Amino acid sequence: MTSVQTLDEYYMKEAIKEAKKAEELDEVPIGAVIVMNGEIVARAHNLREREQNAVAHAELIAIDQACRETGTWRLEESTLYVTLEPCPMCAGAIILSRVKRVVYGAADPKGGCAGTLMNLLEDDRFNHQSEVTSSVLERECGQLLSDFFRKIRERKKLAKKMQTDGLTKNDKE
Amino acid sequence: MTSVQTLDEYYMKEAIKEAKKAEELDEVPIGAVIVMNGEIVARAHNLREREQNAVAHAELIAIDQACRETGTWRLEESTLYVTLEPCPMCAGAIILSRVKRVVYGAADPKGGCAGTLMNLLEDDRFNHQSEVTSSVLERECGQLLSDFFRKIRERKKLAKKMQTDGLTKNDKE
């Protein structure tokens, strides 16, 4: 028998694969998949910088893809897996597409709208609520992000050092 | 001299033209335009039913279009005009794309997130806030929506009546 926890971890690993594709493109590593009847109908990763598009978040691309794939804007029987807690835009897209359940990995203290800053997904003033499961493979999802931002900081530090060294060298010449 | 109010009404009329395009397609009449340096860089209308896509809201399509048009996800110097108060998804997309100012027509008591149910656009926990101006050509924007929903109700009533009449006629035969 396959437990819900095992299935959640299985699909979260698929979302993590997507996050790693983002990382390879120097994008913040966030990935998402949408599952309907045990089948992955959409998979996507953050593409904001590459596409220079503010709406190119993993979840939004995945929802857009799932609507196209299934031919309907109602994703009522679906579960969305995402490595990072959804932002307001993605939480809104989840409500609008009536995703049944959202499973996320790491919490987002800066913009998380599925329990951290607020919980748009379970706010009964909207005409749909999604069930939320948090902290699935949290450590692995969070690690991807912290490693990414550490590398960015190191790269910036190195660039600054090279610039300063260059300036000093030029000053001496 | 052109006052801000006159300009706001001018661009809102452009958003209303977009809303009317949606209406012609039997879509809920909502329209949006994005203005940068006095120029309309994107115009869009609600296409949810036609595209069968939950994310096909006027504002989201307009933001996507403006990013493609300008080649950047930062729409910092822009004003977004929309006939109806933004939902959580569109308010989120506005924050993410750093739209400077949002002008809307009618308030949305069921899902408005720019002052009615909540105010995501001016929530200082997010890393960007947009200035909000509400109620510009409010009556006209609201009228479009109430006329649309009235027609839908009448159409449904008529369809039901025709079905009942048909059934009664068949019963008699």
Side-chain angles (χ1 to χ4, degrees):
Chain A
M1 212 184 97
T2 320
S3 71
V4 172
Q5 197 193 338
T6 314
L7 271 178
D8 279 353
E9 291 189 358
Y10 172 80
Y11 290 119
M12 188 58 84
K13 278 180 188 158
E14 293 298 313
I16 290 172
K17 281 184 196 166
E18 285 298 312
K20 286 181 177 166
K21 288 184 197 167
E23 194 185 19
E24 278 168 25
L25 301 170
D26 254 346
E27 296 277 354
V28 179
I30 304 165
V33 298
I34 297 179
V35 177
M36 284 171 98
N37 305 317
E39 197 196 335
I40 296 178
V41 294
R43 47 170 75 241
H45 49 275
N46 174 34
L47 284 171
R48 186 179 70 169
E49 299 302 328
R50 174 149 296 216
E51 305 264 333
Q52 281 297 306
N53 196 325
V55 308
H57 276 195
E59 304 97 301
L60 198 102
I61 301 171
I63 289 171
D64 178 60
Q65 214 181 91
C67 290
R68 290 171 199 266
E69 181 68 26
T70 60
T72 170
W73 61 262
R74 295 171 182 87
L75 308 176
E76 278 154 349
E77 290 310 312
S78 67
T79 301
L80 184 146
Y81 293 84
V82 58
T83 57
L84 182 69
E85 185 182 357
C87 77
M89 175 184 74
C90 294
I94 288 163
I95 299 170
L96 292 173
S97 57
R98 303 190 186 167
V99 167
K100 190 175 184 178
R101 190 167 161 252
V102 172
V103 181
Y104 70 83
D108 182 3
K110 286 186 181 172
C113 288
T116 299
L117 294 189
M118 60 187 81
N119 191 341
L120 294 173
L121 297 179
E122 293 177 315
D123 188 324
D124 60 16
R125 291 175 299 171
F126 299 119
N127 70 354
H128 177 78
Q129 289 78 48
S130 299
E131 195 191 318
V132 178
T133 303
S134 63
S135 312
V136 171
L137 301 182
E138 182 178 17
R139 201 196 50 77
E140 199 172 338
C141 293
Q143 194 68 47
L144 264 172
L145 287 160
S146 45
D147 286 352
F148 177 80
F149 288 115
R150 188 177 39 75
K151 272 182 211 156
I152 296 274
R153 280 193 303 273
E154 282 171 4
R155 212 186 288 169
K156 276 189 184 162
K157 215 167 143 181
L158 187 66
K160 204 174 171 186
K161 191 178 177 311
M162 281 172 76
Q163 199 190 17
T164 318
D165 287 357
L167 284 175
T168 320
K169 202 181 157 218
N170 288 338
D171 285 347
K172 282 179 187 163
E173 277 168 4
Chain B
M1 213 184 97
T2 320
S3 71
V4 171
Q5 196 193 339
T6 314
L7 271 178
D8 279 354
E9 291 188 359
Y10 172 81
Y11 290 119
M12 188 58 83
K13 279 180 189 159
E14 293 298 313
I16 290 172
K17 281 184 195 166
E18 285 299 312
K20 286 181 178 167
K21 288 184 195 166
E23 195 186 16
E24 278 167 26
L25 301 169
D26 254 346
E27 297 275 355
V28 178
I30 304 165
V33 298
I34 298 179
V35 177
M36 285 173 96
N37 304 315
E39 197 197 333
I40 295 178
V41 295
R43 49 169 74 239
H45 49 274
N46 174 35
L47 284 171
R48 186 179 70 170
E49 300 300 328
R50 176 151 292 218
E51 306 263 333
Q52 281 297 309
N53 197 323
V55 308
H57 276 195
E59 305 96 301
L60 198 102
I61 301 171
I63 290 171
D64 178 62
Q65 213 181 90
C67 291
R68 290 172 198 264
E69 182 67 25
T70 60
T72 170
W73 61 261
R74 295 172 184 85
L75 307 176
E76 278 154 350
E77 290 311 312
S78 68
T79 302
L80 183 146
Y81 293 85
V82 58
T83 58
L84 182 70
E85 184 182 357
C87 76
M89 174 184 74
C90 294
I94 288 164
I95 300 169
L96 291 173
S97 56
R98 302 189 187 168
V99 166
K100 191 176 183 179
R101 189 168 162 252
V102 172
V103 181
Y104 71 83
D108 182 3
K110 287 187 180 171
C113 287
T116 299
L117 294 188
M118 60 186 81
N119 192 341
L120 293 172
L121 297 179
E122 292 177 315
D123 188 324
D124 61 14
R125 292 174 298 172
F126 299 119
N127 70 352
H128 177 78
Q129 287 80 46
S130 298
E131 194 190 320
V132 179
T133 302
S134 63
S135 313
V136 172
L137 301 183
E138 184 179 15
R139 200 195 51 79
E140 200 173 337
C141 293
Q143 195 68 47
L144 265 173
L145 288 160
S146 44
D147 285 352
F148 177 81
F149 288 116
R150 187 177 39 76
K151 273 183 210 154
I152 296 273
R153 280 194 304 273
E154 283 170 2
R155 211 185 289 167
K156 275 189 186 163
K157 217 167 142 181
L158 187 65
K160 207 175 167 183
K161 192 179 175 309
M162 281 170 76
Q163 202 189 14
T164 317
D165 287 355
L167 284 176
T168 318
K169 203 183 157 216
N170 289 339
D171 286 348
K172 283 179 187 164
E173 281 167 0

